[in-house]
Amino acid sequence: MNTFEIQKRQIVDTAQSLVRKGYLMATGGNISLRIPGQNTFAITPSNYDYFKMTAEDVCVLDFDLNLIEGHLKPSVESAMHGAVYQARTDVNAIIHTHQAYVSALTLIQAPIPALFDEQARFLGRSVDIIHYAPSGTGLLKHVVAKHVKNHNNAFMMQNHGALVFGHDMERAVHNVEILEKCALAYLLAICSERKVSKIPLAVREVAFAKLRRDQRKIEQGERVTSGE
Ligand SMILES: [Zn+2]
């Protein structure tokens, strides 16, 4: 077993599970995990079939994007992942997908306000649109790093897809699922052309405070249970 085997296996298992559930399509999207105690992260390789992928194919990079381990080209979005890990010490797992309903909302640039308690508790006050920048560019990395400082755990990249965080991979996957449910419900509600109701502001703030409390624990190196 090599040094990063656990993280690499978790990335492959998660990627294949997300393909089966329909959140990842073809070779689109990318997934990464922070390596604890190091300025490094493991990330899926670029443009590679998720069902052919094995743990050995996963790349390990430092925050300067030097390849520490791996034999394939890392995801073109590696710089974006590295920037998020540096900007948000509470984030240990990142999933970027082209999931369908989120992608639709990015086309009409419709941020999702706080619609459900669960959304505010785990994704944050709102799901904002990150304005368009071409994949794999320094501009996208810069724009993303600026947005994520608002402590939300889900974002929509204009004309592109979803960017979702978790303090661990399991939480990041749950957040991907919550986000898609919110995106579908919001799209359907918008299509009705009737007023879309939001949760009360006070409820949103209590839920967001719980998320922030969890994030501070992670920043201080404590464990968090994702139950509540
Ligand atoms: Zn993408």
Side-chain angles (χ1 to χ4, degrees):
M1 192 187 261
N2 67 50
T3 326
F4 310 112
E5 185 76 13
I6 293 168
Q7 287 85 6
K8 289 176 166 188
R9 278 177 192 256
Q10 199 177 8
I11 284 176
V12 174
D13 291 347
T14 303
Q16 293 177 350
S17 163
L18 288 173
V19 175
R20 286 193 195 92
K21 290 177 181 173
Y23 295 107
L24 288 178
M25 281 73 94
T27 60
N30 33 68
I31 296 179
S32 72
L33 258 181
R34 187 195 293 273
I35 308 285
Q38 300 183 20
N39 289 330
T40 58
F41 60 103
I43 189 163
T44 43
S46 177
N47 197 30
Y48 199 77
D49 187 322
Y50 291 113
F51 286 114
K52 283 189 193 153
M53 197 178 291
T54 67
E56 281 187 2
D57 298 325
V58 175
C59 308
V60 177
L61 304 177
D62 66 19
F63 289 149
D64 294 323
L65 305 186
N66 297 308
L67 188 66
I68 306 296
E69 206 171 84
H71 62 101
L72 294 171
K73 185 172 172 282
S75 164
V76 293
E77 302 296 10
S78 296
M80 176 177 81
H81 288 245
V84 173
Y85 288 127
Q86 287 177 286
R88 289 274 302 269
T89 51
D90 63 294
V91 172
N92 292 316
I94 300 173
I95 301 176
H96 163 56
T97 74
H98 302 161
Q99 58 198 73
Y101 297 115
V102 167
S103 298
L105 285 179
T106 75
L107 302 182
I108 55 173
Q109 295 187 59
I112 308 175
L115 304 176
F116 304 102
D117 298 358
E118 181 187 42
Q119 175 200 350
R121 172 69 179 85
F122 294 110
L123 304 187
R125 285 190 172 114
S126 58
V127 184
D128 300 332
I129 299 283
I130 296 175
H131 290 300
Y132 182 81
S135 283
T137 61
L139 179 61
L140 181 62
K141 172 191 153 181
H142 179 74
V143 174
V144 166
K146 204 173 85 184
H147 270 84
V148 301
K149 289 187 180 138
N150 67 4
H151 304 291
N152 289 340
N153 274 341
F155 298 85
M156 298 187 290
M157 297 156 72
Q158 185 187 349
N159 290 68
H160 192 162
L163 183 62
V164 179
F165 312 146
H167 65 265
D168 61 19
M169 189 63 94
E170 188 182 1
R171 186 69 250 166
V173 169
H174 287 166
N175 287 349
V176 163
E177 292 173 324
I178 292 171
L179 174 61
E180 192 68 343
K181 174 240 172 169
C182 293
L184 173 56
Y186 192 46
L187 261 179
L188 291 173
I190 290 172
C191 289
S192 75
E193 296 185 356
R194 295 175 60 172
K195 183 174 181 295
V196 178
S197 71
K198 301 169 201 155
I199 58 173
L201 265 186
V203 172
R204 183 193 78 176
E205 288 307 304
V206 167
F208 185 65
K210 287 181 181 171
L211 175 63
R212 289 290 296 129
R213 185 193 59 201
D214 283 352
Q215 290 176 345
R216 283 191 207 98
K217 281 187 190 169
I218 297 287
E219 286 162 10
Q220 288 156 16
E222 293 177 42
R223 291 183 75 82
V224 164
T225 48
S226 308
E228 195 185 341

